[in-house]
Structure formats: C-alpha cells, structure tokens
C-alpha cells in the first residue's frame, strides 16, 4: 500500500511515496533473477558490472517491481553489451537500511533507488547529476523535482517517481447532504476553507460519521500537515529555504483546524492525533467519510469498493490559488569508479518509454517533461484518472528533502503535530517547539 513529490525554481519542500512491499528481497540480472551479487566490479577484460539497489513498489509477488527492473536491465544490455546490470529489490520497509548497511561496510551499490539522498551527498559519496547524465536527460526533469534534488544548487538526487495530493469527496454523501446538487454535472468546486467548513456542517447534519477525515497520526502526519500549511499560505520552509514551521500563517492554519474543524465536531469521533492515513482511506471506501486529502492509490481503493467520488484541488484559506503538495522518491549514484557506465544506465532509465512503463504500472506520476507529455497525451487506462494529479505536478512543492535534518524534523512532526488540534491545544507553542529543534538540527 502506498505511504504517501511546488512551485518556483528554488524552493524545496517533499517526499512521500512509500508503497509497502511484502516478501524477501529479490535480485535480478539482465537475464533473470539471481542472488544478490557482488559490489560493482570488472568481470572479464572489458565488461563492467553495475550493482543497483531498488525499492519494491508492489504489494504482492505478482506485481513486484522485480519484473520492471528485469526488463529494463535486459533492454539496456542489448544496447550496451559491455555492461552487465545486477539489481537487488527490497521492500520499502528495509531498502533504506540495506543501502545504509552497504555504505557503512564500504560496499555501496553503484546506483540506489531509495527514499533520501541528502546524507550521502553531504558526505561526498555521490556523483552529481551533471557528472552522470546527458544534457538532454538532465534538462528533462520537471523543475520543482530537479530543485528538490539539489544541495547548495547542485543536483545529487534524481527524482524517480512522483505524486501529488488532491481533495477527495464522496459524491453520494455530498449530494444527499445538499452540498452537491443532484443534477450537477461539473462536480463540486470548493475554493476556500469557508466552503469546506460549510460542506462539513451539512454532512454532519445529514448524519455522516466523519464529514472530514483529518489523519494526523504517525503514518503520514507530516504529509497532512504540509498540505494544510500550503493551503494556508505557509509551509515547512520560506523562500530562502530556511525552516519557517512557526510562521504566523502556519499558526493560523492549525487554529482553524482546532476551532472550526475539530472543535465543531466536523472530523468525526476519531482523534486526529491517533488517526493514520490508511485508517481514513479505509473509512472513505466504506462510505463513512465525506471528504479527505488523498493520493493516487485511493483511486483504486475507492473504485474497488464501488464508491463514486470526485477530486478537486485543496481549498485554500482565502480562496486564492496556492501550490499543492508533491512527493518523490530518489535515484543516486555512488562514487564507485563507474561514473560513465552508471550515467549511461540512468540515461536509459529516464527514457520516456521506461518512465511511463513504471508510472502506469503503479498509478504514479512521471518526473520528466517527456514522460509528463506522454501521459498527458494518452487516453484510457490509468493515465486518464491520473491526469488531475498530473496537472498539479509542475507547480507542486516538496518536503525539504535536501536538508540532512529533514528526517528528524519529520519524526518530530509525526509525534507532536496532533497536539495542535486537541481541545485546548496551543498551535503556536507546538509549532515553535518543532521549529526550534529543526533550526538547531539544520545548523549542525
């Protein structure tokens, strides 16, 4: 299941995609699944072996990412007979730790497709994108995603796949509550938080168990938090990429949630601080939730349960347009002496046909301009449903993944942000505490 990549050319805000996988780690060569393989080495007089570690985006053995990487390695091998590619596939619950272990043991893979790159870049262990990629490939990344892969304006992290977030709503519940006219063909188009509050009140009056689901539990509190911050005109960082978690806009955002949404009983009986995202998703697919923020995985989950739903951009505090949240996972290449071969493989990985093959398989968004155009031009299948998410991607904001401190800040948010919306909660104090720790960590 997914555990769920801003606008402007310099701001850095995100990460998300966490498609939990099952089963033991899988490995594959260009020809077939094999053992884990050795660290990249010369095999024979001229042949080079590249070792790649990647995350599994499948949720069962039948849709494991192993098949994609096997085909990719085989296709690359045909055009580059002097380079052998061995790929080890690990579940999301272990892939980051596996790579960390390899690096610590002095056996880093040549290429890793994992959740974060900043620590390795800061330690001087990664090639830059400029050192690896052709000019055309490097220029093809969507600007906000390329920017999120930079540290001090130098790109080390290459985005792999992306996603954005939208507001989902249950068409039947909103129609029955009088929010959505029965003959409405254009769907519901809320613009401001006042629209959101008014709709939630009607849903509550109609007996809907959870008018608006607000998951601020540990699973993905950092994501729900960022969506609301952006809609309120704030965010985790300011335009100079410094932490601004305690900004006045962010404080106002959580005061609204505390007083207008939770305080008026519009978020249901479950305490937001104890509600995980998947719990909210499950309730939505059972027809118990009127509205919630969601990512592309909810498309299939809701459709499979027969829930008719609509999707719109997250309403903002004042009704004016603000960036949505985006998320991405990352590819990086370690300095193992195979810069040229790694670069060629990455150029191949980012060809439009290979990008769309993966994103279509897992209902995710492409990270390149060519992949974006290919999906936007397609008709039918998953691409049609994903286009609403796709249209938000070029101007989406991401977590500040270029900061080494982000992992700790994200954990702090998960543990404490729910306190802001509890009865008597103090958003200003909670946000100030998180911000102070974030700035100290960032300065180390």
């Amino acid at each position: 299941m997914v555990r769920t990549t801003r606008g402007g050319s310099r701001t850095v805000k995100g990460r998300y995609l966490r498609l939990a996988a099952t089963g033991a780690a899988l490995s594959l060569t260009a020809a077939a699944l094999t053992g884990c393989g050795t660290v990249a080495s010369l095999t024979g007089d001229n042949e080079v072996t590249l070792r790649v570690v990647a995350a599994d985006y499948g949720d069962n053995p039948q849709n494991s990412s192993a098949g994609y990487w096997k085909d990719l390695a085989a296709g690359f091998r045909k055009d580059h007979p002097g380079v052998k590619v061995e790929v080890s596939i690990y579940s999301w619950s272990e892939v980051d730790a596996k790579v960390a272990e390899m690096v610590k043991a002095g056996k880093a893979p040549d290429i890793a497709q994992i959740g974060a790159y900043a620590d390795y870049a800061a330690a001087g262990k990664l090639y830059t994108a400029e050192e690896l990629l052709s000019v055309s490939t490097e220029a093809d990344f969507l600007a906000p995603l390329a920017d999120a892969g930079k540290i001090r304006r130098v790109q080390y992290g290459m985005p792999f796949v992306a996603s954005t977030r939208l507001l989902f709503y249950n068409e039947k519940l909103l129609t029955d509550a009088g929010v959505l006219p029965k003959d409405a063909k254009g769907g519901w188009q809320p613009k401001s938080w006042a629209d959101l509050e008014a709709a939630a009140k009607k849903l509550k009056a109609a007996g809907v168990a959870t008018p608006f689901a607000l998951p601020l539990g540990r699973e993905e509190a950092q994501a729900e938090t960022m969506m609301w911050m952006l809609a309120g005109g704030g965010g985790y960082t300011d335009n100079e990429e410094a932490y601004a978690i305690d900004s006045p806009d962010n404080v106002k955002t959580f005061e609204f949630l505390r007083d207008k949404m939770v305080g008026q009983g519009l978020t249901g009986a479950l305490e937001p601080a104890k509600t995980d995202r998947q719990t909210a998703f499950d309730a939505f697919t059972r027809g118990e939730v009127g509205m919630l923020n969601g990512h592309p995985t909810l498309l299939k989950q809701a459709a499979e349960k027969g829930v008719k739903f609509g999707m719109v951009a997250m309403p903002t505090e004042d009704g004016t347009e603000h960036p949505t949240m985006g998320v991405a996972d990352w590819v990086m290449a370690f300095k193992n002496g195979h810069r040229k071969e790694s670069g060629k493989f990455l150029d191949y990985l980012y060809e439009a046909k290979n990008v769309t093959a993966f994103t279509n398989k897992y209902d995710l968004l492409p990270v390149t301009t060519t992949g974006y155009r290919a999906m936007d031009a397609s008709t039918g299948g998953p691409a049609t449903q994903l286009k609403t998410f796709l249209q938000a991607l070029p101007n989406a904001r991401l977590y500040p993944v270029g900061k080494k401190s982000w992992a700790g800040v994200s954990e702090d948010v998960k543990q404490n942000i729910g306190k802001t919306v509890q009865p008597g909660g103090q958003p200003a104090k909670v946000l100030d505490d998180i911000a102070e720790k974030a700035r100290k960590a960032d300065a180390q």
Side-chain angles (χ1 to χ4, degrees):
M1 86 185 43
V2 172
R3 303 261 191 253
T4 352
T5 230
R6 143 181 155 164
S9 61
R10 292 185 58 212
T11 46
V12 178
K13 300 188 176 176
R15 183 183 120 61
Y16 127 79
L17 289 159
R18 290 253 170 190
L19 299 175
T22 58
L26 299 172
S27 299
L28 55 128
T29 64
L33 293 177
T34 69
C36 195
T38 59
V39 177
S41 60
L42 289 175
T43 56
D45 293 336
N46 299 311
E47 188 172 71
V48 170
T49 297
L50 290 179
R51 186 179 177 192
V52 179
V53 174
D56 196 342
Y57 286 76
D59 57 7
N60 61 67
Q62 285 67 48
N63 70 354
S64 168
S65 301
Y68 168 82
W69 286 100
K70 177 181 177 180
D71 292 342
L72 186 77
F76 178 77
R77 177 74 162 175
K78 290 180 180 179
D79 296 332
H80 302 84
V83 184
K84 180 181 180 182
V85 181
E86 293 182 349
V87 187
S88 299
I89 307 295
Y90 294 96
S91 71
W92 263 118
S93 63
E94 59 182 345
V95 66
D96 290 312
K98 287 289 185 181
V99 171
E101 291 172 6
M102 294 173 188
V103 173
K104 186 177 181 179
K107 298 180 178 180
D110 288 283
I111 295 170
Q113 183 272 299
I114 52 178
Y117 68 89
D119 284 356
Y120 301 124
K125 296 182 181 297
L126 302 180
Y127 290 117
T128 67
E130 185 177 6
E131 291 174 315
L132 293 161
L133 304 175
S134 67
V135 173
S136 59
T137 299
E138 187 179 5
D140 198 28
F141 290 124
L142 292 170
L145 305 184
D147 288 343
K150 294 177 181 179
I151 295 179
R152 294 183 292 276
R153 297 186 176 87
V154 177
Q155 186 176 358
Y156 295 91
M158 291 158 279
F160 180 60
V161 286
S163 180
T164 56
R165 299 296 180 86
L166 295 172
L167 178 70
F168 283 68
Y169 61 89
N170 184 307
E171 289 185 354
K172 183 179 186 304
L173 294 182
L174 265 67
T175 300
D176 291 347
V179 177
L180 189 65
K182 292 184 178 181
D183 59 349
K185 296 182 180 180
W188 185 45
Q189 298 295 329
K191 297 298 182 182
S192 69
W193 287 354
D195 296 335
L196 206 63
E197 179 187 353
K201 286 180 176 178
K202 289 184 177 181
L203 287 165
K204 181 182 179 182
V208 175
T210 304
F212 192 100
L214 184 64
L216 294 176
R218 282 191 53 82
E219 183 184 357
E220 272 209 320
Q222 83 284 0
E224 187 75 16
T225 294
M226 184 171 173
M227 283 182 279
W228 282 99
M229 284 180 170
L230 291 175
Y236 281 119
T237 62
D238 59 23
N239 288 335
E240 299 302 319
E241 301 178 6
Y243 281 118
I245 298 168
D246 55 347
S247 71
D249 284 333
N250 290 341
V251 172
K252 285 175 58 179
T253 291
F254 284 92
E255 288 176 344
F256 168 80
L257 291 174
R258 178 196 63 191
D259 299 337
K260 300 298 185 179
M261 300 302 288
V262 178
Q264 297 187 95
L266 304 181
T267 57
L270 291 177
E271 183 180 346
K274 297 179 181 178
T275 303
D276 286 338
R277 180 159 304 285
Q278 191 57 50
T279 300
F281 280 13
D282 290 343
F284 185 81
T285 64
R286 293 194 300 267
E288 300 169 1
V289 172
M291 304 172 285
L292 83 169
N293 292 314
H295 50 68
T297 299
L298 188 55
L299 292 171
K300 283 187 176 180
Q301 293 181 9
E304 288 173 354
K305 294 297 181 67
V307 175
K308 292 185 178 181
F309 58 89
M311 300 179 295
V312 294
M314 175 69 170
T316 63
E317 188 273 335
D318 58 2
T320 63
E321 186 174 345
H322 293 312
T324 186
M325 188 188 84
V327 292
D329 284 327
W330 302 95
V331 172
M332 62 220 68
F334 288 86
K335 293 181 177 179
N336 285 348
H338 294 139
R339 179 185 63 82
K340 182 179 178 180
E341 293 81 6
S342 294
K344 288 182 177 179
F345 181 72
L346 291 171
D347 280 338
Y348 184 74
L349 171 68
Y350 286 110
E351 288 183 10
K353 63 179 181 180
N354 295 324
V355 170
T356 55
F358 193 90
T359 55
N360 288 345
K361 182 177 179 65
Y362 295 106
D363 287 348
L364 298 170
L365 304 181
V367 298
T368 61
T369 300
T370 52
Y372 178 97
R373 289 172 178 168
M375 178 176 283
D376 192 45
S378 63
T379 57
T384 300
Q385 290 184 310
L386 288 170
K387 283 186 179 181
T388 306
F389 290 93
L390 186 69
Q391 290 162 2
L393 185 59
N395 294 315
R397 290 188 178 182
L398 285 72
Y399 301 134
V401 290
K403 293 179 176 290
K404 293 192 298 180
S405 57
W406 169 244
V409 174
S410 176
E411 182 62 26
D412 198 8
V413 171
K414 291 178 183 179
Q415 291 181 5
N416 294 296
I417 199 66
K419 299 174 183 177
T420 62
V421 300
Q422 293 174 345
Q426 302 178 55
K429 183 179 186 306
V430 174
L431 293 176
D432 183 66
D433 289 344
I434 296 173
E436 184 178 357
K437 293 178 185 176
R439 293 185 185 115
K440 287 182 179 179
D442 200 37
Q444 293 179 355

